[in-house]
Amino acid sequence: MIAAAHRTHRGYAAFVIHRLSGVGLAAFLPLHFLALGTALNGEAALDDFLRWTAHPLLKAAETALVVLLTAHLTGGLRLLALELLGWRDWQKTAVAMSGGVSLAAGLMFLLNLGVP
Amino acid sequence: MPDGRTLEVKVWRGRESGRFQAFTVPRRASQTVLDVVSWIQRHLDTTLSYRFACRVGMCGSCAMTVNGKPRWTCRTHVDKVAEGDTLTVAPLANLPVVKDLATDMAPFFDKWAKAQGRFVPEDDRPREFHIVPPETSERRAVDAGIECIGCGVCYAACDIVRWNRDYLGPAALNRAWTLVNDVRDAGNPTRLAAVAGDAGCHACHSQENCREHCPKQINATASIAGLKRAAAIAALKGQL
Amino acid sequence: MSVRSETRLWLAQRASAAVLALCVIVHLATMVYAVRGGLSAAEILSRTRGSSAWLAFYLLFVAAVVIHAPIGLRAVLREMTTWRGRSLDFAVVLFGILLAALGLRAALAVFA
């Protein structure tokens, strides 16, 4: 497709991140609910599951999910502002801001994992 | 005067299916892409079909896809867009191709009509003239979008147009927004019903390709956001 | 679907988004706090079991997600695939019901 070159601006990046994070979260949520539901089978069942998630690969996935959630949230806030408040010039920087906040949230989560 | 350098230009030939044909064109200072296409048609291949009219950035007829981006070729300097010494010119995206670089603009304007992009007068002559002070928010909203000349660049740039055949597109929706804000117009809420929904303003995801590419710096994303607000209020009021 | 319904879908999507914004911020803050020093089932459940306030909060959270996610997925599928019409609407509603059932079960498991 020759059309690829015209999508290198911030608005498009914001769209892609928002869409991918949304689909990712939608795929993740049923699993998240299922995992929490194991508490119905008693503490031991939940503990088993929690031990399984202590694996570093899964911790990395969890951090990724925090980033996805924050990215979707901040991207969504940008959209709400754009659609409800009308156009403001600073809205272009909102894309960059939401990226920054997402990474910060992910970092906080990751750092908290190691604190005794 | 040609300065001895050459440009390798790939030009689309055919209709939706076709091929890129390569030409070698002498490079000149301040050359525009329209200059290049015209030179090819006059000196190398008179069967090349393309459109232009004013050649000074007023009419929008010369819009084409240049190195993947929709632009006005008369206002695109080769020096600014050439990748080294190469250039790729294709017809505007998202429209049927008549031949080579000329597209069929009918779907674009059909959607303009579908979005009720025309002024609807009141049934009766108003007793007094509508006064429209320039500082009112409605007049400012109209001013921001009224300069559209229907060139189709935003339509070609829009991903939603590409993914959703029925989507009215940024230009038609922008024009509808200027009419929604025209205090003399009597077309609402019927016009809002025409522009809302899965084929209308609600399909826009604010990628802003339209705003990014509009040669007149019109912000169709903002106009479409305005339509979303107006449609929501109309729906809540039971007018839709 | 009628234009009125599609406009209402947009409204529901944005309204649920606003609710989710608040819920997600609370949830993220709570998770970052809770994850400090690792967590065991006993630790989590001792804090959450029997808390009607948290149960209410998470039921609201689930309700907002059940509205928001299917509408979003509907748009994605309509644009990225050729799937349209009633069958797609039906499918995303089913997904919403699935989320509601699993979410309710999870909320009760942890907070009831």
Side-chain angles (χ1 to χ4, degrees):
Chain A
M1 262 245 79
I2 23 172
H6 68 231
R7 290 191 242 117
T8 52
H9 61 278
R10 267 179 293 194
Y12 193 77
F15 164 75
V16 170
I17 291 169
H18 200 239
R19 180 154 282 197
L20 287 178
S21 61
V23 172
L25 288 166
F28 158 74
L29 263 180
L31 303 170
H32 186 49
F33 289 161
L34 273 170
L36 290 169
T38 59
L40 281 175
N41 302 330
E43 283 180 17
L46 188 54
D47 252 327
D48 280 343
F49 176 74
L50 287 174
R51 228 171 294 125
W52 181 65
T53 64
H55 191 281
L57 207 65
L58 275 146
K59 283 293 167 218
E62 274 174 22
T63 315
L65 276 159
V66 170
V67 174
L68 275 188
L69 186 56
T70 321
H72 198 74
L73 165 68
T74 49
L77 287 175
R78 167 187 164 260
L79 279 181
L80 283 176
L82 207 153
E83 288 179 351
L84 299 175
L85 298 181
W87 193 255
R88 302 277 184 279
D89 281 324
W90 53 257
Q91 274 160 357
K92 275 187 108 172
T93 55
V95 180
M97 276 175 1
S98 65
V101 172
S102 307
L103 290 174
L107 201 61
M108 277 193 69
F109 182 77
L110 196 56
L111 290 174
N112 263 314
L113 287 178
V115 174
Chain B
M1 284 301 296
D3 57 18
R5 295 178 300 156
T6 58
L7 198 61
E8 292 304 303
V9 188
K10 293 214 288 275
V11 179
W12 182 257
R13 307 303 305 273
R15 303 187 63 153
E16 266 83 9
S17 62
R19 76 203 196 294
F20 280 101
Q21 187 180 358
F23 298 97
T24 306
V25 170
R27 231 172 143 156
R28 305 165 114 97
S30 304
Q31 201 177 34
T32 64
V33 176
L34 182 60
D35 291 336
V36 168
V37 173
S38 296
W39 198 92
I40 293 172
Q41 197 268 347
R42 283 171 202 168
H43 299 275
L44 294 180
D45 189 343
T46 52
T47 68
L48 176 63
S49 302
Y50 70 107
R51 275 203 200 102
F52 76 100
C54 76
R55 81 232 188 310
V56 291
M58 279 189 61
C59 72
S61 307
C62 67
M64 300 176 207
T65 308
V66 179
N67 288 351
K69 285 185 195 247
R71 320 181 74 117
W72 288 352
T73 49
C74 69
R75 293 292 248 182
T76 304
H77 277 243
V78 169
D79 289 336
K80 289 247 166 63
V81 297
E83 278 149 4
D85 283 319
T86 65
L87 204 64
T88 305
V89 187
L92 272 188
N94 298 335
L95 287 164
V97 182
V98 174
K99 180 173 175 285
D100 303 340
L101 299 170
T103 57
D104 179 8
M105 295 291 284
F108 175 81
F109 288 112
D110 284 344
K111 288 179 176 179
W112 195 288
K114 263 217 191 105
Q116 292 193 14
R118 75 190 196 302
F119 181 77
V120 175
E122 290 168 2
D123 283 338
D124 207 355
R125 219 173 87 183
R127 249 172 252 132
E128 302 192 359
F129 285 116
H130 288 281
I131 298 176
V132 190
E135 334 75 57
T136 54
S137 58
E138 288 95 344
R139 180 66 222 198
R140 273 202 261 225
V142 174
D143 283 343
I146 201 67
E147 299 287 331
C148 172
I149 54 173
C151 70
V153 164
C154 61
Y155 190 81
C158 180
D159 286 300
I160 311 295
V161 170
R162 196 156 51 93
W163 297 330
N164 182 352
R165 216 177 339 111
D166 303 317
Y167 182 51
L168 294 173
L173 292 170
N174 174 70
R175 179 49 55 95
W177 176 241
T178 62
L179 289 159
V180 163
N181 282 282
D182 189 333
V183 298
R184 306 162 303 166
D185 175 86
N188 294 322
T190 329
R191 185 181 292 107
L192 282 177
V195 300
D198 287 337
C201 61
H202 295 112
C204 169
H205 295 295
S206 305
Q207 285 100 313
E208 303 176 56
N209 288 352
C210 51
R211 186 189 54 75
E212 194 72 16
H213 289 85
C214 176
K216 307 214 67 160
Q217 276 91 50
I218 294 173
N219 189 341
T221 310
S223 302
I224 293 170
L227 285 175
K228 288 173 179 170
R229 291 192 293 277
I233 292 169
L236 290 170
K237 282 192 190 161
Q239 288 171 344
L240 221 56
Chain C
M1 201 185 282
S2 74
V3 161
R4 179 147 33 105
S5 307
E6 287 161 8
T7 308
R8 291 228 172 103
L9 273 187
W10 180 87
L11 269 167
Q13 182 72 329
R14 275 26 178 199
S16 60
V19 170
L20 282 171
L22 295 168
C23 289
V24 165
I25 290 171
V26 169
H27 185 58
L28 276 175
T30 316
M31 288 306 112
V32 170
Y33 171 78
V35 159
R36 291 178 319 160
L39 22 69
S40 73
E43 254 179 44
I44 302 175
L45 292 174
S46 66
R47 291 193 226 200
T48 62
R49 278 256 164 82
S51 166
S52 47
W54 277 118
L55 177 63
F57 172 78
Y58 278 100
L59 286 176
L60 176 69
F61 200 169
V62 169
V65 166
V66 167
I67 296 173
H68 191 81
I71 300 177
L73 282 177
R74 177 179 178 272
V76 176
L77 288 167
R78 281 183 107 254
E79 287 162 16
M80 310 276 91
T81 70
T82 51
W83 198 2
R84 268 161 216 220
R86 280 258 158 261
S87 68
L88 173 62
D89 296 343
F90 204 61
V92 296
V93 165
L94 271 175
F95 180 69
I97 292 172
L98 174 74
L99 279 179
L102 290 177
L104 184 63
R105 176 174 174 267
L108 291 173
V110 179
F111 295 104

